[in-house]
Amino acid sequence: MDDITLAIVDDDAAMRSILTDWLQPAEGFRCLSDFGSVEEALLRLPEVKPAVVLMDINMPGLSGIECVRQLKPLLPATQFVMLTVYEDADHIFQALMAGASGYLLKQTPREELLTAIREVHAGGSPMTSNIARKVVQYFQQLQARPSQTPAAEDLSPREREVLGLLARGYMYKEIADSLGLSVPTINTYIRRVYDKLQVKSRSQAVARYVVQRKDSAPSRPR
Amino acid sequence: MRAVCQGPRGAGCRWPAAWGLSLWLLAWGVGRAGPVTAAFPEEKTFFVRAWRVEDGTPANTVVGVARRPDGYLWVATRTGLFRFDGENFQPCPQVSAAALPGLMVPVMLRDRRNRLWLAKDRGAMACVDGAATRVFTIRDGLPDLQPVSMAEDGEGAIWISYAAGPLYQIKDARVQPCEATAGMSGQEASWLIADRQGQIWFARGGGVGVLRAGRFATLLTLEQPALRLAAARGGGVWLSDGQKVWKFKEGGKLELLGRIPAGQVKLLREDQPGRLWAAVALEGPLGGLFCHEGGDFKRVPISCTAVVSLSDDREGNLWVGTLGAGLLQVRPRAVELVNPEADVPLVAVQSFCEDNNGMRFAVGQNGLLARWQNSAWETMTVFLQGVPTPVVRWQRPGWERMTAPLGWPGGPATCVAADPRGGVWLGTTERGLFQWRDGKFFSLGDTNVLARHAIHALFPGATGDLWIGQEQAGTLHRLRDGHLLTLKLPSNTGQVSALAEDASNTLWVATTDGRLARVNGETVEDVTSQTLSAPAPIRCLHAAPDGSLWIGYAARGLGWLKHGRFFLFGLEQGLWDAGISQILSDRRAWLWCAGDRGVFRIPLADLEAVAAGQLPAIRMVLCGRGEGLPNLQAGCGVWPGPVYGHAGELWMPMLAGLAVIHPERSLEYPPPPAVVIERLLVNGRPVAAYDSQESWDRSNAVALVDLHGLTNRLALGPGVRQWAAEFTVPSFTGQENIRFRYQLEGLDETWVDVGSRRVAYFSMVPPGQYQFRMMACNNEGVWNDVGAVLAFTVLPYYWQTWWFRVLSWIAGGGVAGTMVWMETRRRLRRKLERVERQRALERERARIARDIHDDLGASLTRIGMLSQPGGAAPETPERTAANLNVIYQTAHGLTQTLDEIVWAVSPQHDTLDSLATYLGKFAQDFLRHTGMRCRLDMPLQLPPLTLTAEKRHHLFLACKEALNNAAKYSQATEVRITLTLTAGGFAIQLEDNGVGLPPAATPGAPAPDDPAQRTGGRGLTNMRRRLEEIGGRCEIRSTPGVGTSILFTVPALQAGTPAHHAGPVRLPWTRDGNG
């Protein structure tokens, strides 16, 4: 198995060095590069093409979420994992909409961090109940409006089921047991939900951008 | 409309003829002559005005005219009774409708109590007494006959005589036939009148008598029946048998006054000034109206001869009711205008005189000399084929131009003066002086001197001297016994303009440049200094018998010099004109003056009073306008100007002709007009009317207030948008000259002069008290200072009254005050809220500070301490690892606490949804570590309830406490958290399927011994306390063996209400809300 190529984007140099120290000697990980700012990352990451990017959400200048939004189309195969001090559901949700695959708390112990990166690389998609709740709310609110996007981008019933159970506090294992599926299948569903979320949010942004451009000239796309 | 009647004018025959021809002329002249010897054409002597249907009279047949006490005239026509003010006829339908259902009124009487009696034919009688009308009919006892005459006796009873003879009496509203006809002859109708003393006279058959003590006594018997009577001013009666007119007094003799040429006298009346009028029923030029004046009856030319009634007013007019010619107003003129231009081309008379024989000469400004010929036989010398032949001819009255063939050798003439000793002096422009004597003209005086300049002034003195003034400046001649003496006037004087001789035979001379000189014998003394300080041009002089000299100035007015004292009357003293051209005293009490603006007279008493300082101004009377004459401009420039006529009249040469003034015909002093407000209209509808009862039509539903004698203040309704008053003046002389002015006291203090308009308008009269004053000025320019006053009050709308205004001001003030008070309260409340918020904010900050201080401080301290190397024991890797682990755990816990604190205070997480999400996440994480199943049952769509930081903080900690308890004591496998919405907020229920609470774990119970239970008990108390602090409730239910259920009920506010913090809370470690 190849090493998981990593890149770290964080404005805190100490954090970067700690992480690099943790990851460099770890088995199966290769730290390719680390960047101190989003701008730098935007320039260089497309060339580096890591498998996983650890992205700090809270950065000066452009935020990490924005960085993910811009980079994900360029690096569709890369998994973006957000690093955050606090588990702020709003920011995490926005990051997921931008294209992130998951998040990690910065204070996660080293072993858990490595495990989590391996899981994400392998296709795992961690989702907690509050995120699930937000995702469901988001799709429900989209459904309420007449859809401008094709129906294929809506949640399938299965996905909705999974999300609903997640929102109700079920663990992955419990969901798998109650639905008669395996945990990787659940992961896959969640991963698909993430993709759809990302696509939806992107198309929403485009539509909004177009509408805004129609209305008035200078407006910043969110 | 004046009836013009001119006598036929025959031309004098001037063709040469023989004596026989002259006889033929004689015969011819006689044949064409009329029998009336009138001095002047009659039409100019009387002023006649007719009121016909075209002028507004309701009918052309006026059957009666009576004077009303308030100045109006009652005019009765066939169609009804009217009120006449000199311009308009106002119907009295009340009376007409009630009393005159279409029958003619032959007889009308006004009694002493000012009631109007209308005797109609066929037995009806109406008595009009102000507003009430009393009707007497056949049922009351009146006979079905034609009434002939009515009279009122001394006791106020009305006597009526009827056509077939009976007499009736109405006394105290009861009709009584008169039985005492004894002493009266025949079955003929009686003619009744009441004389000045209130005694009833009758004329019946040929007998004339009085009613004495209820009986008729005949005093006189004449041959002629159909006698007519009229009351005489001086007592007794005037009596006419149809042709002759006598005066008769009881106990006196019959005195003949005069006779009518033809026809029958139908009516007699003596008016206020004392003239006797007679109406004669005869068609043609000999019938109609006659006036006895100056000794004989003069015919008054009116357009109709069927006179039905005679009445007079206070202004000297006679009102004649006719059958078909309307209402006539007749008055002998006081001022006549004789215009010789009708006969001869005499332009602007400048001099006139009448000699002792009645020969009259007039000179025009064009130099033409004319002579008035009375109708008389005249012998003239006419040259027939060169042979002087005496010719007798009959001259028609008229003016005749004097030319050379007629024997006038003088050419253009300038002035004429009559010599008191006989003869006439005539002055010419270039041929000197002439004298007319014995029918011939003689040239006199030194022709060389007198012919050199035109003669401008002639004055025959009483002693026989003739004073002559010429056009040469500074010269005065005296002709005495054929000798001409030239006197030199003071140097630098102008031409002689006027000469007068006073009672002491002193001659006064005035010149055109204003010098006044006195001539005594042959000495000329300049006395100008006695008059004005600076000489002003003098036009005329008049020496009064009392020794005064009146001086007429060209621009300074009237001067009065008496015994050395001088007084000047100008415009400030009330003089009509500052340019006086002619002055003449009428030898009674008036001074007549003529200037550039007309003829006027001044009472001499006023002049003396003003000169003595007793009166501020003179009162003067303009003359002529009332008789329809234009403003007469006096002629001046030659002397003599005005002269006396032989009959006492005054002659004044005017530019328009010769003015003849009969002073005895002018009223003493015409009364100023009484203004009557006739109608008051408010907003276009009549509200009050004069004699409203009279004019009230039954078709009018509204009864109007009577303005006649109104003393109260009228109250006019609220909202007077238009206010109009119609007024008039009952005056019958020169209505068109009457001017009005009014003032509405209370609205506008200025007097508004409206000329002759008879309506006063005001619009948008605000509420208040007013007095409307009216004044009228009559023909002569006299203002009636009393005028008419109408007091009224305009009631305000309730919203215009003072109390409403005050109330509304108070209310407005109250409203404003209330608003201010409310605003202040609101501000205070907001301030209070702000302070509250501030305090809550501070509380929150204090709590956060406390939390940070307590939780974080402790943890950080721990980390700091653990990171130090230390201790007595040697450092081992295990110990270090253990310390590091503790540090890690502490740091981890610190992060968690921080996260909770940040979440609790972040305003963006103020919603219920955020609480649900956060709680769910926490529960899931927490329960995952304990191995219990987590089941969340929270609705995805939650209402936007606002939860303050405080609420979220306490609530979260309470839930955390509950979860802790469940984890420690419940030994459950599953924890279910349910969020439900309630009416006032929401509820969170935490259930576990554990062992339940120990029975002693209730608040208030004594603390159990088990420390774990003790803390558990304390934990429950904490939960309750936290919920109470946020205003909620905490219910704990427990079933041993089944599980525990904790229910938190929280009241919540809707989103949008101001929460207890303003704006996002900025904590030092937040960066724009991110992370």
Side-chain angles (χ1 to χ4, degrees):
Chain A
M1 184 173 329
D2 289 332
D3 286 343
I4 302 173
T5 50
L6 279 170
I8 302 169
V9 182
D10 195 326
D11 61 321
D12 188 3
M15 179 61 62
R16 280 206 309 275
S17 73
I18 292 173
L19 283 172
T20 319
D21 282 344
W22 284 4
L23 294 166
Q24 199 62 0
E27 272 285 332
F29 288 96
R30 191 150 53 92
C31 206
L32 294 181
S33 50
D34 56 293
F35 304 100
S37 73
V38 171
E39 289 81 5
E40 219 184 319
L42 285 172
L43 275 172
R44 303 268 304 280
L45 267 177
E47 307 162 359
V48 175
K49 290 201 182 33
V52 174
V53 173
L54 297 178
M55 178 82 68
D56 181 18
I57 288 184
N58 192 17
M59 278 195 280
L62 281 177
S63 74
I65 299 170
E66 188 57 37
C67 185
V68 172
R69 190 172 293 127
Q70 291 191 22
L71 283 178
K72 185 69 180 177
L74 302 173
L75 301 164
T78 310
Q79 310 296 320
F80 288 88
V81 179
M82 313 305 294
L83 286 175
T84 176
V85 175
Y86 301 108
E87 277 180 283
D88 188 335
D90 285 331
H91 285 118
I92 291 163
F93 181 67
Q94 278 178 33
L96 291 174
M97 280 209 292
S101 312
Y103 73 97
L104 284 169
L105 289 178
K106 277 187 184 175
Q107 54 176 307
T108 316
R110 178 169 171 269
E111 285 304 322
E112 274 186 52
L113 186 81
L114 296 175
T115 315
I117 294 173
R118 280 196 206 100
E119 276 182 22
V120 165
H121 179 74
S125 311
M127 187 182 280
T128 49
S129 67
N130 53 346
I131 302 294
R133 192 183 153 86
K134 284 194 109 59
V135 170
V136 174
Q137 279 175 347
Y138 176 73
F139 274 99
Q140 265 186 4
Q141 157 206 339
L142 279 188
Q143 246 175 4
R145 272 182 270 163
S147 183
Q148 300 138 340
T149 51
E153 290 169 5
D154 290 336
L155 294 175
S156 72
R158 200 45 131 188
E159 287 158 359
R160 226 171 285 155
E161 227 181 322
V162 170
L163 275 177
L165 289 173
L166 262 178
R168 284 170 57 191
Y170 282 67
M171 313 295 300
Y172 278 42
K173 188 80 178 57
E174 291 163 332
I175 299 172
D177 290 340
S178 71
L179 291 182
L181 302 165
S182 66
V183 173
T185 318
I186 306 294
N187 270 316
T188 316
Y189 280 129
I190 300 297
R191 178 56 65 92
R192 238 185 271 162
V193 168
Y194 278 168
D195 290 338
K196 283 191 182 171
L197 189 66
Q198 184 199 333
V199 167
K200 267 279 203 257
S201 85
R202 199 170 287 280
S203 61
Q204 283 279 303
V206 168
R208 221 173 21 247
Y209 183 70
V210 166
V211 165
Q212 277 172 358
R213 278 289 279 232
K214 270 196 225 160
D215 289 347
S216 58
S219 57
R220 283 178 293 114
R222 182 71 188 98
Chain B
M1 266 195 277
R2 230 167 294 157
V4 175
C5 167
Q6 271 201 340
R9 188 155 60 104
C13 180
R14 300 199 188 103
W15 298 315
W19 259 107
L21 186 60
S22 68
L23 284 172
W24 180 82
L25 286 171
L26 171 72
W28 172 79
V30 167
R32 295 238 0 220
V36 180
T37 63
F40 272 100
E42 306 114 327
E43 64 271 19
K44 299 208 172 65
T45 315
F46 290 96
F47 166 69
V48 177
R49 184 171 175 182
W51 299 83
R52 305 179 66 103
V53 171
E54 303 88 79
D55 304 313
T57 316
N60 273 338
T61 296
V62 175
V63 299
V65 177
R67 192 176 56 205
R68 280 170 53 138
D70 52 7
Y72 285 91
L73 286 182
W74 263 306
V75 175
T77 68
R78 262 191 235 236
T79 51
L81 193 66
F82 293 85
R83 187 179 79 200
F84 182 49
D85 65 348
E87 201 171 274
N88 294 314
F89 289 87
Q90 196 77 250
C92 307
Q94 179 76 325
V95 172
S96 314
L100 306 171
L103 297 177
M104 193 173 123
V105 178
V107 190
M108 207 160 103
L109 173 76
R110 180 177 71 99
D111 67 8
R112 277 191 289 273
R113 285 191 282 174
N114 291 322
R115 294 179 301 187
L116 186 69
W117 293 87
L118 303 158
K120 297 156 57 185
D121 57 356
R122 309 193 60 77
M125 171 87 73
C127 170
V128 182
D129 184 8
T133 307
R134 176 89 165 80
V135 177
F136 300 90
T137 57
I138 298 174
R139 280 199 299 275
D140 298 296
L142 291 173
D144 185 5
L145 295 167
Q146 182 95 356
V148 171
S149 67
M150 271 202 290
E152 182 191 12
D153 69 8
E155 293 145 24
I158 307 293
W159 293 81
I160 314 125
S161 69
Y162 285 91
L167 287 168
Y168 280 78
Q169 179 193 40
I170 299 183
K171 193 165 182 170
D172 304 325
R174 259 192 10 258
V175 177
Q176 294 166 0
C178 178
E179 300 300 330
T181 50
M184 297 171 71
S185 55
Q187 290 290 322
E188 297 141 345
S190 318
W191 187 262
L192 297 176
I193 58 127
D195 70 2
R196 295 286 155 189
Q197 283 73 39
Q199 182 144 61
I200 301 263
W201 288 71
F202 71 91
R204 189 186 179 112
V208 175
V210 293
L211 174 68
R212 197 180 292 149
R215 287 178 51 85
F216 289 92
T218 307
L219 300 174
L220 189 64
T221 311
L222 298 172
E223 301 85 32
Q224 297 275 10
L227 296 171
R228 288 290 181 265
L229 300 171
R233 227 149 266 272
V237 293
W238 299 100
L239 176 60
S240 169
D241 66 351
Q243 290 256 298
K244 301 206 207 54
V245 178
W246 297 275
K247 178 142 184 219
F248 181 62
K249 259 200 184 135
E250 197 180 341
K253 275 201 351 272
L254 203 61
E255 298 160 15
L256 181 67
L257 182 73
R259 56 180 303 144
I260 303 293
Q264 289 283 317
V265 170
K266 284 290 181 218
L267 290 171
L268 281 173
R269 187 169 185 104
E270 183 180 352
D271 63 7
Q272 283 222 329
R275 292 180 285 255
L276 185 67
W277 299 83
V280 173
L282 180 71
E283 290 295 318
L286 295 177
L289 189 65
F290 284 82
C291 175
H292 185 267
E293 202 180 22
D296 58 350
F297 278 95
K298 297 190 181 70
R299 181 169 175 275
V300 181
I302 54 175
S303 52
C304 162
T305 53
V307 173
V308 175
S309 77
L310 293 175
S311 183
D312 61 302
D313 64 16
R314 292 181 307 167
E315 295 173 23
N317 298 306
L318 180 82
W319 292 92
V320 181
T322 65
L323 212 59
L327 181 67
L328 300 178
Q329 178 186 11
V330 179
R331 189 174 65 230
R333 289 182 188 278
V335 178
E336 303 170 36
L337 192 65
V338 173
N339 193 357
E341 244 175 285
D343 294 339
V344 293
L346 194 73
V347 172
V349 179
Q350 71 176 11
S351 186
F352 174 83
C353 74
E354 185 187 28
D355 77 352
N356 294 340
N357 302 325
M359 179 66 66
R360 293 170 179 158
F361 286 91
V363 178
Q365 276 187 2
N366 54 357
L368 199 114
L369 178 69
R371 190 178 62 183
W372 170 259
Q373 283 287 6
N374 275 332
S375 54
W377 289 106
E378 191 189 46
T379 310
M380 284 195 63
T381 307
V382 178
F383 290 92
L384 294 172
Q385 295 161 349
V387 176
T389 315
V391 167
V392 176
R393 65 172 183 168
W394 175 255
Q395 281 289 347
R396 300 292 309 160
W399 288 96
E400 186 183 42
R401 180 179 176 171
M402 298 306 296
T403 51
L406 278 179
W408 167 241
T414 53
C415 52
V416 290
D419 199 324
R421 296 177 304 167
V424 173
W425 297 97
L426 305 103
T428 61
T429 50
E430 58 205 16
R431 298 195 195 162
L433 183 69
F434 286 83
Q435 191 187 22
W436 164 269
R437 209 177 46 231
D438 305 325
K440 286 200 282 290
F441 292 100
F442 299 91
S443 176
L444 281 185
D446 188 349
T447 326
N448 291 335
V449 173
L450 294 174
R452 200 169 301 147
H453 302 279
I455 295 175
H456 271 192
L458 286 175
F459 187 75
T463 54
D465 298 336
L466 178 70
W467 299 90
I468 304 159
Q470 277 190 304
E471 206 173 357
Q472 189 184 34
T475 51
L476 181 68
H477 307 284
R478 188 192 70 191
L479 185 68
R480 181 187 280 178
D481 301 327
H483 295 297
L484 193 70
L485 174 69
T486 305
L487 294 170
K488 264 274 184 271
L489 295 174
S491 56
N492 300 331
T493 54
Q495 313 166 13
V496 169
S497 63
L499 298 154
E501 196 175 39
D502 64 10
S504 59
N505 293 337
T506 314
L507 182 76
W508 295 84
V509 182
T511 61
T512 49
D513 64 342
R515 299 264 184 192
L516 186 68
R518 196 164 52 191
V519 177
N520 243 329
E522 290 168 21
T523 48
V524 178
E525 183 193 342
D526 189 343
V527 292
T528 319
S529 51
Q530 285 183 12
T531 58
L532 298 174
S533 46
I538 298 173
R539 281 188 189 163
C540 61
L541 292 175
H542 175 65
D546 65 347
S548 328
L549 181 73
W550 296 95
I551 308 160
Y553 291 95
R556 296 297 299 272
L558 186 67
W560 186 32
L561 183 65
K562 185 172 181 179
H563 303 317
R565 278 194 347 261
F566 178 77
F567 194 85
L568 181 70
F569 297 91
L571 293 171
E572 307 86 57
Q573 279 77 30
L575 205 63
W576 172 251
D577 200 354
I580 311 283
S581 304
Q582 298 173 17
I583 306 170
L584 212 55
S585 149
D586 69 356
R587 292 175 183 155
R588 293 161 144 212
W590 295 83
L591 192 71
W592 290 77
C593 306
D596 300 326
R597 293 170 59 194
V599 177
F600 57 96
R601 59 188 162 111
I602 310 165
L604 285 163
D606 273 20
L607 291 163
E608 282 163 21
V610 171
Q614 290 156 6
L615 270 183
I618 55 169
R619 296 166 298 171
M620 51 120 253
V621 179
L622 256 190
C623 299
R625 271 159 53 177
E627 282 129 13
L629 292 176
N631 256 349
L632 304 167
Q633 197 171 355
C636 65
V638 297
W639 192 257
V643 292
Y644 288 107
H646 284 295
E649 65 268 32
L650 312 176
W651 298 88
M652 288 183 157
M654 300 282 154
L655 293 183
L658 260 178
V660 188
I661 296 171
H662 304 268
E664 71 281 1
R665 285 191 189 168
S666 53
L667 282 179
E668 258 318 297
Y669 213 11
V675 191
V676 173
I677 299 177
E678 282 206 315
R679 228 161 51 126
L680 182 64
L681 296 111
V682 172
N683 295 338
R685 282 185 304 109
V687 164
Y690 185 78
D691 274 343
S692 57
Q693 291 297 322
E694 238 175 47
S695 49
W696 177 55
D697 213 338
R698 267 182 227 277
S699 61
N700 236 348
V702 179
L704 304 172
V705 178
D706 196 338
L707 290 172
H708 193 171
L710 182 75
T711 47
N712 304 334
R713 187 170 273 272
L714 277 179
L716 303 177
V720 174
R721 293 181 300 280
Q722 292 161 359
W723 187 97
E726 294 172 357
F727 42 84
T728 185
V729 162
S731 166
F732 309 97
T733 316
Q735 270 282 351
E736 55 275 0
N737 295 319
I738 293 180
R739 294 196 313 276
F740 298 93
R741 63 180 185 200
Y742 61 79
Q743 171 202 45
L744 187 60
E745 202 180 286
L747 185 70
D748 191 357
E749 305 300 320
T750 56
W751 282 92
V752 180
D753 209 309
V754 287
S756 55
R757 195 184 76 194
R758 287 163 191 244
V759 193
Y761 288 113
F762 290 98
S763 61
M764 304 307 288
V765 184
Q769 296 206 333
Y770 300 95
Q771 274 209 324
F772 176 69
R773 288 183 201 279
M774 279 259 13
M775 276 214 283
C777 141
N778 68 357
N779 188 36
E780 278 85 11
V782 179
W783 283 95
N784 181 359
D785 289 322
V786 173
V789 179
L790 181 65
F792 64 95
T793 309
V794 175
L795 300 171
Y797 281 116
Y798 72 90
W799 41 266
Q800 284 171 330
T801 53
W802 66 269
W803 55 265
F804 185 86
R805 285 227 173 92
V806 165
L807 275 183
S808 62
W809 274 108
I810 291 175
V815 165
T818 312
M819 280 173 57
V820 166
W821 174 72
M822 276 172 59
E823 179 67 23
T824 316
R825 254 179 60 121
R826 194 150 47 99
R827 284 226 193 104
L828 280 176
R829 209 186 2 241
R830 267 200 297 221
K831 202 163 176 184
L832 205 65
E833 277 171 8
R834 223 185 358 247
V835 168
E836 274 288 325
R837 273 200 299 266
Q838 205 72 17
R839 222 152 9 112
L841 195 59
E842 278 163 16
R843 262 208 313 271
E844 192 68 13
R845 286 164 72 183
R847 181 190 64 76
I848 292 165
R850 209 174 36 247
D851 285 347
I852 292 170
H853 181 266
D854 295 346
D855 292 343
L856 304 181
S859 302
L860 285 168
T861 321
R862 207 182 309 150
I863 291 171
M865 292 175 71
L866 284 169
S867 354
Q868 295 171 40
E875 281 286 336
T876 59
E878 296 84 10
R879 202 183 152 82
T880 313
N883 279 351
L884 285 174
N885 195 35
V886 174
I887 290 170
Y888 170 74
Q889 294 297 334
T890 313
H892 185 78
L894 200 56
T895 318
Q896 194 67 27
T897 315
L898 260 177
D899 188 69
E900 281 165 23
I901 291 174
V902 166
W903 172 81
V905 298
S906 286
Q908 72 209 53
H909 292 130
D910 258 350
T911 59
L912 186 60
D913 183 68
S914 175
L915 175 72
T917 312
Y918 197 76
L919 186 63
K921 167 74 171 57
F922 173 80
Q924 196 181 35
D925 283 345
F926 182 80
L927 290 170
R928 184 191 4 227
H929 289 130
T930 61
M932 288 191 279
R933 274 203 307 278
C934 172
R935 291 295 173 260
L936 302 170
D937 193 359
M938 297 188 250
L940 283 166
Q941 300 298 331
L942 288 169
L945 293 173
T946 305
L947 293 175
T948 62
E950 208 175 346
K951 271 193 186 140
R952 282 187 290 131
H953 172 73
H954 285 300
L955 202 54
F956 181 74
L957 289 177
C959 292
K960 204 167 156 185
E961 189 81 41
L963 286 170
N964 268 325
N965 280 356
K968 278 192 202 151
Y969 308 119
S970 71
Q971 300 163 23
T973 57
E974 185 181 287
V975 173
R976 173 176 290 270
I977 304 180
T978 316
L979 179 72
T980 44
L981 295 166
T982 62
F986 61 95
I988 300 178
Q989 189 176 33
L990 299 107
E991 294 170 271
D992 67 50
N993 57 355
V995 297
L997 287 170
T1002 46
D1009 298 321
D1010 187 0
Q1013 285 187 355
R1014 210 178 300 134
T1015 39
R1018 218 173 26 243
L1020 293 176
T1021 324
N1022 273 347
M1023 278 194 285
R1024 283 220 172 83
R1025 191 178 43 82
R1026 282 197 194 278
L1027 263 295
E1028 272 160 20
E1029 250 197 67
I1030 61 171
R1033 245 187 15 257
C1034 169
E1035 285 168 34
I1036 303 168
R1037 266 190 296 247
S1038 171
T1039 314
V1042 177
T1044 316
S1045 161
I1046 302 175
L1047 179 68
F1048 297 132
T1049 322
V1050 181
L1053 304 160
Q1054 282 291 324
T1057 48
H1060 282 286
H1061 54 259
V1065 176
R1066 301 188 69 85
L1067 297 169
W1069 51 83
T1070 54
R1071 211 184 300 176
D1072 293 86
N1074 276 349

